[in-house]
Amino acid sequence: MYKRYNLKNGVQVVAEKIPHFRSISIGLWFKAGSIYEDNSENGLSHFIEHMLFKGTQKRTAKEIAQTLEAVGGQLNAFTAKECTCFYSKVIDQHLELAIELLSDMMLNSIFDEEELNKEKGVVLEEISMYEDSPDDVVHELLHSKFYGSHPLGQPILGTVENIKNFTQERLLKYFDQFYSPHNLVISVAGNFDDKELISLLDKYFGHWNKSKGNYQQLNMSKSNSGIFYKYKDIEQTHLCIGYPGLPLGHDSIYPLMVFNNIFGGGMSSRLFQKIREDRGLAYSVYSYPSSYVHGGLFTIYAGIKTSHTAQVVSIIADEIKSIKNRGITQEEFSMAREQLKGNYILGLESTSSRMTALGKNQLLLGRILTPDEVLSRIDSVTLDDVYHLFNQIFEKGKATVAIVSRDDLTKQLQGVF
């Protein structure tokens, strides 16, 4: 069972004690991500994530990397559209070392100008790496066209032009606005003593005082439909079909996840079986929901031989039509629901996953469901709930289609979705 605390400076802490584990995971969760950036700032959150590993007043970049690796621990971070997380995982006896290191990175990073200019090259290479991955390109194209001018459509990595123009002054201004005690949730999962944990967090974070930044109020996103093509000299055609999904915390999230398991969420799903296993038309084909505080997207992806595009699209359209005609069997539904429960329970069997669930839900939703509450909600999903949700999402003419290929296939797809 998790507990909530507040440090003396207002930092929120959510912690779940798991005595039979020897590991402990700690995450610093900030409401900082690409959704909060304007066009000229796009990429700042991700760039700052990199810079916090590049040196503090007491550690070099190499020493930051060595501190936890020397005791078999892990240190990492990621930037998403609506949050940024810095996290560590260690055996329980090194709890203080992990907390002290995260505190040092957050409170004492120097944003050295020489390191900043070197890191520009690293991030530009990261962007180039994604550009060389057509499945990443087609997903980015889908997001940018689906969300249009809404900040959810911006890339997390930013643009090449922005990265080249970032200055130390600009990074520090953004850092001061978004990385503060008022915008932070610390999540902890693993084996710890409650009093020791709070004492250590107060010791290393409780004295951190910064004024509360001014945060822009964001509207819910609106989706755009249409077919969008990007040329790339590659062997395969990469196809993404996006429909309006559900925002984070929506009551129908669990019916959506059950539906996804039936439709394209795993090896037993309809799309995988009919497109890959039965006909051998694709190596990679799947679907998945993306949920954000400010919007949602349901994505269908296939990487296929260009000459197979029409056949694969026809199968996807037929499966959508079958479900619209209430073509899900009770056996399919029951298996998908049990699959969702099993995946959820197995996902809890690490301190990292529990820390992530605690931190993300507290930061973005302000509430946390217990495992029993989640399982109860999955059990309460009915087949009628799935059909109702399906009809709500899969409306004719609402799809956004993204294609990355040597061939412009937009005419083949017109009117299909």
Side-chain angles (χ1 to χ4, degrees):
M1 183 67 183
Y2 70 90
K3 293 182 180 179
R4 283 190 178 91
Y5 308 91
N6 283 93
L7 303 185
K8 53 193 175 188
N9 59 349
V11 171
Q12 298 179 75
V13 178
V14 285
E16 182 179 8
K17 187 173 182 177
I18 314 171
H20 53 280
F21 282 10
R22 283 298 311 274
S23 68
I24 183 165
S25 295
I26 307 113
L28 310 183
W29 293 80
F30 292 91
K31 272 190 185 176
S34 56
I35 195 172
Y36 301 106
E37 303 161 350
D38 64 30
N39 289 336
S40 65
E41 293 172 334
N42 185 216
L44 270 175
S45 301
H46 175 256
F47 201 94
I48 286 171
E49 176 214 313
H50 277 235
M51 288 304 300
L52 264 62
F53 287 81
K54 305 311 292 182
T56 70
Q57 294 168 15
K58 62 183 283 189
R59 286 182 173 97
T60 64
K62 185 177 181 180
E63 287 168 341
I64 289 173
Q66 288 177 332
T67 298
L68 292 190
E69 284 194 0
V71 295
Q74 302 165 8
L75 176 69
N76 214 329
F78 64 84
T79 305
K81 289 186 179 290
E82 294 181 311
C83 63
T84 300
C85 178
F86 301 84
Y87 61 94
S88 64
K89 183 176 183 179
V90 291
I91 59 174
D92 49 17
Q93 72 190 69
H94 298 303
L95 171 62
E96 181 169 7
L97 180 64
I99 293 174
E100 185 274 327
L101 176 60
L102 288 169
S103 170
D104 187 34
M105 292 168 62
M106 193 55 55
L107 278 62
N108 303 315
S109 283
I110 55 178
F111 291 90
D112 178 74
E113 200 142 13
E114 185 179 342
E115 290 291 343
L116 187 154
N117 289 325
K118 281 197 295 186
E119 206 60 26
K120 285 184 180 182
V122 173
V123 175
L124 290 173
E125 285 300 317
E126 190 175 358
I127 292 173
S128 296
M129 181 183 73
Y130 278 90
E131 280 295 322
D132 283 344
S133 177
D135 53 333
D136 288 323
V137 173
V138 76
H139 282 90
E140 199 64 65
L141 178 63
L142 175 69
H143 271 78
S144 67
K145 299 303 182 183
F146 181 87
Y147 289 113
S149 60
H150 192 278
L152 273 173
Q154 295 189 132
I156 293 168
L157 299 184
T159 65
V160 170
E161 183 181 1
N162 281 1
I163 302 304
K164 289 180 177 178
N165 290 330
F166 285 159
T167 63
Q168 184 189 58
E169 180 184 5
R170 194 154 201 181
L171 262 68
L172 288 171
K173 181 180 177 183
Y174 188 88
F175 181 78
D176 285 340
Q177 181 179 1
F178 285 94
Y179 297 80
S180 70
H182 315 282
N183 210 30
L184 167 65
V185 168
I186 300 178
S187 62
V188 185
N191 186 28
F192 56 82
D193 176 82
D194 297 65
K195 288 183 179 179
E196 180 192 15
L197 174 67
I198 299 306
S199 174
L200 288 171
L201 291 175
D202 258 324
K203 175 181 176 181
Y204 290 106
F205 287 97
H207 64 282
W208 186 25
N209 290 308
K210 283 171 80 172
S211 59
K212 191 173 183 179
N214 296 316
Y215 308 117
Q216 178 187 356
Q217 279 296 113
L218 295 168
N219 298 320
M220 292 297 286
S221 62
K222 294 180 180 178
S223 62
N224 300 297
S225 58
I227 303 173
F228 304 92
Y229 166 71
K230 183 172 184 176
Y231 171 81
K232 219 164 183 53
D233 187 12
I234 50 178
E235 292 298 318
Q236 280 190 309
T237 286
H238 294 260
L239 172 71
C240 271
I241 305 157
Y243 286 90
L246 300 178
L248 203 64
H250 194 284
D251 289 342
S252 294
I253 284 289
Y254 296 105
L256 176 62
M257 294 168 77
V258 171
F259 164 73
N260 182 58
N261 282 350
I262 294 168
F263 189 68
M267 291 176 64
S268 62
S269 68
R270 289 186 173 199
L271 294 187
F272 191 93
Q273 286 296 315
K274 297 193 175 182
I275 293 172
R276 174 169 163 162
E277 297 298 280
D278 292 351
R279 295 172 177 83
L281 297 174
Y283 173 75
S284 183
V285 56
Y286 54 83
S287 66
Y288 65 95
S290 306
S291 294
Y292 308 103
V293 173
H294 300 91
L297 172 64
F298 186 86
T299 301
I300 304 162
Y301 166 80
I304 46 185
K305 191 175 181 180
T306 301
S307 59
H308 292 158
T309 303
Q311 194 176 353
V312 168
V313 165
S314 176
I315 294 169
I316 294 170
D318 285 346
E319 288 310 311
I320 291 173
K321 192 181 300 180
S322 168
I323 295 170
K324 188 165 284 192
N325 293 328
R326 300 180 74 87
I328 300 173
T329 66
Q330 186 63 44
E331 182 183 7
E332 268 186 304
F333 168 72
S334 298
M335 186 173 76
R337 194 170 58 179
E338 289 303 308
Q339 181 185 352
L340 181 59
K341 287 165 62 179
N343 289 343
Y344 171 71
I345 292 167
L346 291 175
L348 293 177
E349 295 194 348
S350 78
T351 58
S352 301
S353 60
R354 294 202 190 192
M355 176 276 291
T356 298
L358 291 173
K360 185 177 180 181
N361 283 293
Q362 182 62 35
L363 181 77
L364 298 180
L365 293 176
R367 57 184 168 84
I368 300 166
L369 296 178
T370 66
D372 285 343
E373 287 172 326
V374 171
L375 293 173
S376 175
R377 293 192 181 200
I378 296 173
D379 275 329
S380 69
V381 175
T382 67
L383 189 48
D384 281 340
D385 292 334
V386 173
Y387 284 133
H388 177 76
L389 171 79
F390 177 87
N391 290 326
Q392 177 185 333
I393 291 178
F394 286 82
E395 290 185 44
K396 185 79 171 178
K398 284 286 187 75
T400 306
V401 181
I403 308 161
V404 173
S405 176
R406 277 196 299 216
D407 301 296
D408 187 347
L409 305 172
T410 52
K411 288 184 179 178
Q412 290 187 31
L413 300 179
Q414 285 175 353
V416 177
F417 300 104

